[in-house]
Amino acid sequence: MEITHIGGPTAVLNLGGLTFLIDPAFDEPREYQLPGRVMKKLIGPAIPAADLGHIDVALVSHDEHKDNLDDTGRALLPSIPTVLSTPGAATRIPGVRGLENWESVDLPRPDGGVITVTGVPALHGPEGAEAVLGVVTGFVLQGDGLPTVYVSGDNASLALVKEIADRFAPIDVAVLFAGAARTTLMDGAPLTLTSEDAVEAARLLDRATIVPVHTEGWTHFSEGPDQVVAAFREAGLEDRLNLLTHGVPTTLG
């Protein structure tokens, strides 16, 4: 598989002849005025949406936050043949297919096989966060002769990582949304994995290569790439970490 990190949580994943776009966010730096708060984007995309080329599938962890689906990303969705997200997103965005937890869909590959995409649970903050921040999904991608890939979405729960790791073992590559996102809405509790949590997730995921995203480019990401690297180095797991350079395709698996 090949993965290109575009910035924030946004990445392009090539697997089994299909091209997946994770959490499309392509706006240039700006502020978004939300009820009672402001979200601020600091860094533009390494690859503009217009330069992406053909995308077969969009994996949208949730549609309600601008760092996961912004204005430019939303405008891109109608051009993508398959868009997978939460059941709630399917009621809000035409053409989206919502996946319940553990629900799977088979996507035909150019070679005649399939890639199975399964929606997996995610918790965007502490217990009860769904009532404030909405429902989020992660994804697991599987196919014959291909690495198994876990895309966490905005998840802060290690218990859910363990459940997913146990169900789909062995997972070969884990794209973990880290960055310890925080907001006053949840009294500053982390809404995604902290750097230390990402280390614990790596242990739960056994030998999986860990690809951290969602660590830079927005003011509400409280822990950057350097802190992720430092935590993995201190844990002796730096060899499991693959910190991607924005805009540079990287082969894994």
Side-chain angles (χ1 to χ4, degrees):
M1 58 165 280
E2 182 183 83
I3 185 169
T4 305
H5 189 192
I6 291 171
T10 308
V12 174
L13 177 67
N14 293 298
L15 182 70
L18 296 178
T19 301
F20 296 82
L21 177 61
I22 300 168
D23 277 8
F26 290 92
D27 288 351
E28 292 299 325
R30 56 173 289 192
E31 292 185 351
Y32 301 89
Q33 183 63 56
L34 305 175
R37 69 195 196 282
V38 173
M39 288 182 69
K40 186 173 183 180
K41 186 175 186 179
L42 302 172
I43 302 171
I47 301 173
D51 295 344
L52 284 177
H54 179 73
I55 301 293
D56 296 293
V57 185
L59 304 176
V60 182
S61 66
H62 57 304
D63 65 307
E64 297 167 289
H65 295 153
K66 294 291 189 180
D67 55 325
N68 303 94
L69 182 66
D70 63 11
D71 298 343
T72 305
R74 189 177 292 265
L76 186 65
L77 295 184
S79 69
I80 299 175
T82 301
V83 181
L84 303 177
S85 189
T86 65
T91 69
R92 292 182 287 268
I93 304 176
V96 170
R97 173 165 180 172
L99 293 179
E100 300 284 355
N101 289 340
W102 315 119
E103 181 182 359
S104 298
V105 58
D106 287 339
L107 304 178
R109 295 167 55 180
D111 64 3
V114 299
I115 292 179
T116 300
V117 180
T118 304
V120 295
L123 179 59
H124 197 3
E127 293 294 331
E130 298 99 331
V132 178
L133 298 173
V135 173
V136 177
T137 188
F139 304 93
V140 172
L141 284 60
Q142 299 169 290
D144 289 344
L146 300 175
T148 296
V149 181
Y150 166 44
V151 178
S152 75
D154 277 357
N155 173 57
S157 170
L158 288 172
L160 290 180
V161 173
K162 183 179 189 311
E163 187 174 356
I164 293 160
D166 290 345
R167 185 178 288 234
F168 292 97
I171 291 174
D172 300 293
V173 178
V175 181
L176 297 183
F177 289 30
R182 301 180 192 273
T183 174
T184 55
L185 292 178
M186 301 304 295
D187 296 324
L191 311 182
T192 54
L193 298 173
T194 66
S195 300
E196 288 74 19
D197 287 340
V199 167
E200 292 307 311
R203 292 188 173 112
L204 293 170
L205 291 160
D206 197 14
R207 295 179 296 277
T209 297
I210 305 300
V211 179
V213 298
H214 196 280
T215 63
E216 84 305 309
W218 295 76
T219 56
H220 62 288
F221 298 173
S222 67
E223 297 182 12
D226 290 347
Q227 286 160 288
V228 176
V229 171
F232 272 76
R233 182 180 298 126
E234 183 176 349
L237 296 177
E238 193 174 8
D239 62 325
R240 299 266 309 281
L241 188 70
N242 198 313
L243 188 66
L244 303 179
T245 301
H246 287 185
V248 178
T250 302
T251 300
L252 301 174

